[in-house]
Amino acid sequence: MRHFGHIAPEVRQRLFHQEPCRFTADSPARLLSVALGATLYSPATRPRLADDIVKQTGRGVVSMVLCLEDSIGDEDVADAEENLVGQFTDLAGRNGLDGRGEAAGVDLPLLFVRVRVPEQIPDLVRRLGPAARLLSGFVMPKFTEERGIPFLEALATAEADSGRRLFAMPVLESPELLYRESRVETLEGIFRAVDKYRERVLALRLGVTDFCSSYGLRRAPDMTAYDVQIVASVIADVVNMLGRADGTGFTVTGPVWEYFRVQERMFKPQLRRSPFLEGQAEELREALIEHSMDGLLREITLDHANGLIGKTCIHPSHVLPVHALSVVSHEEFSDAQDILRPERCGGGVLRSAYTNKMNEVKPHRAWAERTMLRAEVFGVANEDIGFVELLAAGIPD
């Protein structure tokens, strides 16, 4: 699979200076953690779940979470599990899974299951049988050291029993993490847990909706998670302690955006007009504003500025904006290349090739390395290509 792989090759050639790389579920974890991109959640109760997965693959989705937790009622768990096993079996059959459980060259998203309790992990892997080869791992809710270790131990057991590499994606959403008096201790415990199982932890996900619920809050469509100060403070501390670029950190993904359309707007649209006018895409701009996408775009930009990569998505319309804004600009790529040149390893300061900024080699090195990894996964846009062109090219006809 590859990002923007659903776009015709000749269009990709026009858009990209460097096209996104190909990757599989067996690619290195460091690459996959960035390649998750917009992770689309879907309730496991959907009766045509296998069809939904195939459909979303054709629209550019590269990672999905099939949810057995908050998106379904307590009384529906058993039926959802049964449906999940049946849909995976169907998907495996229609995609040519051979007797060894190997897929016959078919591109499918990275598929994860969000469970409620640790016992579900080995039980589901056992029930899936050969179809478990389509599974990339499990999402673990309300993760703390105390609650998380049993999930990670269950994952290790399932991995050993199945012979399949399985990843964990803990969700950081518990009240202990939100409350000031217990936050640092909770983060220290989370770090101990995920560090012990580092090779199995693909990414950490933020449960901002649960954070807000602890105080009876819900952000409006005109506001981002960063405008809710109590939430912003948690994000900052999570990145501070768990997202460091010194080799001890993990990929931390952006919070979910809840809105599809706006019923009433309280503020003027925050989406700048100039890039859309330059791209002659005023009609697209108006459509994005009407569907409340301007707030989403602002939040994605702030995610990147605050050290987050990728995003939890609960609607297919959110996927393409996340991916389009993850593409590395030609200017960013040029700066990163200059900073990482072998002859620059001793440090120093240089003017950027675009002559509009200072690149200081040692302080900007970690940024350059992360940028080059993002460039590998999402590609590098041509000099005259911006977000508008990437977004317009990816929208289905």
Side-chain angles (χ1 to χ4, degrees), residues 117-386:
V117 295
E119 294 76 20
Q120 286 178 298
I121 293 175
D123 180 60
L124 284 169
V125 170
R126 177 187 58 78
R127 290 164 64 182
L128 284 169
R133 300 295 294 182
L134 300 180
L135 185 64
S136 289
F138 291 88
V139 175
M140 302 169 177
K142 299 171 180 61
F143 194 95
T144 62
E145 182 179 27
E146 181 180 2
R147 289 194 292 270
I149 288 291
F151 279 104
L152 293 168
E153 290 174 343
L155 182 78
T157 299
E159 186 178 73
D161 291 345
S162 67
R164 169 72 178 166
R165 181 179 72 167
L166 296 170
F167 287 115
M169 290 204 291
V171 184
L172 310 185
E173 57 186 346
S174 64
E176 300 98 312
L177 184 59
L178 184 63
Y179 299 151
R180 180 183 292 274
E181 67 271 19
S182 56
R183 184 180 303 170
V184 172
E185 181 181 355
T186 301
L187 282 168
E188 290 174 341
I190 290 171
F191 179 79
R192 287 192 295 268
V194 295
D195 187 51
K196 182 179 179 181
Y197 290 86
R198 178 173 292 272
E199 73 281 2
R200 291 189 174 90
V201 177
L202 189 60
L204 306 177
R205 312 200 72 90
L206 289 165
V208 165
T209 301
D210 279 50
F211 290 157
C212 290
S213 73
S214 295
Y215 288 87
L217 305 175
R218 185 175 190 179
R219 68 187 190 273
D222 302 278
M223 295 184 177
T224 71
Y226 302 93
D227 294 314
V228 183
Q229 291 299 301
I230 196 166
V231 170
S233 71
V234 181
I235 295 175
D237 286 343
V238 167
V239 174
N240 190 328
M241 297 184 69
L242 300 174
R244 298 177 184 179
D246 60 0
T248 66
F250 296 82
T251 293
V252 183
T253 65
V256 68
W257 181 258
E258 299 178 345
Y259 294 93
F260 318 140
R261 288 178 176 269
V262 174
Q263 294 179 355
E264 181 180 357
R265 297 190 62 84
M266 296 176 63
F267 304 130
K268 291 182 179 180
Q270 299 168 32
L271 191 59
R272 292 187 300 115
R273 296 175 64 90
S274 57
F276 289 86
L277 293 174
E278 291 167 5
Q280 296 182 336
E282 182 69 9
E283 184 177 337
L284 176 58
R285 174 185 177 274
E286 294 298 332
L288 287 169
I289 291 171
E290 181 182 347
H291 289 266
S292 190
M293 288 297 183
D294 54 321
L296 170 63
L297 301 185
R298 181 167 174 259
E299 184 165 287
I300 296 167
T301 301
L302 289 169
D303 287 341
H304 293 173
N306 285 277
L308 310 184
I309 183 71
K311 200 165 187 66
T312 294
C313 295
I314 42 78
H315 195 273
S317 64
H318 299 166
V319 171
L320 186 56
V322 173
H323 292 168
L325 282 174
S326 297
V327 174
V328 173
S329 71
H330 189 272
E331 181 175 346
E332 289 176 308
F333 183 66
S334 174
D335 289 338
Q337 276 190 316
D338 285 346
I339 291 165
L340 296 175
R341 291 188 191 284
E343 63 269 24
R344 301 288 184 186
C345 62
V349 179
L350 59 150
R351 185 175 63 173
S352 72
Y354 276 70
T355 68
N356 61 356
K357 71 178 75 64
M358 173 193 74
N359 288 327
E360 193 168 353
V361 173
K362 288 184 178 179
H364 291 145
R365 186 174 186 84
W367 168 85
E369 290 172 345
R370 293 182 67 170
T371 298
M372 293 302 280
L373 180 57
R374 184 160 56 92
E376 182 180 359
V377 171
F378 290 99
V380 179
N382 274 319
E383 287 189 70
D384 60 341
I385 296 298

Side-chain angles (χ1 to χ4, degrees), residues 91-106 129-131 133-134:
L91 193 61
R94 71 169 76 179
N95 285 282
L97 205 66
D98 63 24
R100 297 173 299 170
E102 300 289 346
V106 177
R133 300 295 294 182
L134 300 180

